[in-house]
């Protein structure tokens, strides 16, 4: 299994917009992608515009398939205009769960 941990800093004035987009993206990934085992969105309790995404996929092929879905491409398009200030991602092989 492959895990993807993403930390996203969102423009402070656009947090509600991001939440709308990312919850739609997460729901679509969980329900429309057989290779997606988890897509969880968390918000920092200390910084209202900081989010973490915890995702799990069957394998790298499922992760790559996720990145080609219409809902992922729509999210990328929506987020391409300054919505996201910074992003860090770590992709790893799950060795214990």
């Amino acid at each position: 299994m492959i895990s993807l941990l993403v930390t996203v800093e969102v423009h402070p004035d656009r947090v509600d917009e991001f939440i709308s987009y990312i919850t739609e993206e997460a729901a679509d990934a969980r329900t429309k992608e057989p290779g997606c085992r988890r897509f969880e969105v968390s918000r920092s309790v200390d910084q209202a515009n900081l989010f973490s995404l915890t995702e799990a996929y069957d394998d790298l092929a499922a992760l790559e398939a996720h990145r080609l879905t219409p809902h992922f491409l729509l999210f990328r398009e929506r987020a391409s205009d300054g919505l996201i200030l910074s992003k860090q991602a770590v992709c790893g092989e799950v060795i214990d769960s």
Side-chain angles (χ1 to χ4, degrees):
M1 186 166 21
I2 299 296
S3 68
L4 182 61
L5 307 173
V6 183
T7 303
V8 179
E9 181 184 8
V10 176
H11 190 289
D13 296 335
R14 299 178 68 189
V15 167
D16 290 340
E17 179 183 0
F18 175 78
I19 290 171
S20 173
Y21 294 161
I22 198 63
T23 55
E24 180 182 321
E25 165 63 15
D28 283 347
R30 288 190 303 262
T31 61
K32 296 179 180 177
E33 297 178 40
C36 179
R37 299 291 166 219
R38 178 180 185 160
F39 197 125
E40 182 176 278
V41 180
S42 301
R43 183 178 187 174
S44 170
V45 296
D46 299 320
Q47 185 177 339
N49 69 320
L50 189 63
F51 295 83
S52 61
L53 313 177
T54 306
E55 304 173 45
Y57 298 89
D58 286 341
D59 50 30
L60 284 172
L63 174 57
E64 289 305 315
H66 165 71
R67 292 177 174 155
L68 298 174
T69 61
H71 52 266
F72 177 81
L73 296 173
L74 177 60
F75 174 77
R76 287 190 64 186
E77 179 183 326
R78 289 171 165 172
S80 67
D81 67 348
L83 175 68
I84 295 174
L85 300 178
S86 67
K87 179 180 91 169
Q88 292 184 331
V90 176
C91 183
E93 182 179 1
V94 175
I95 58 171
D96 186 40
S97 63

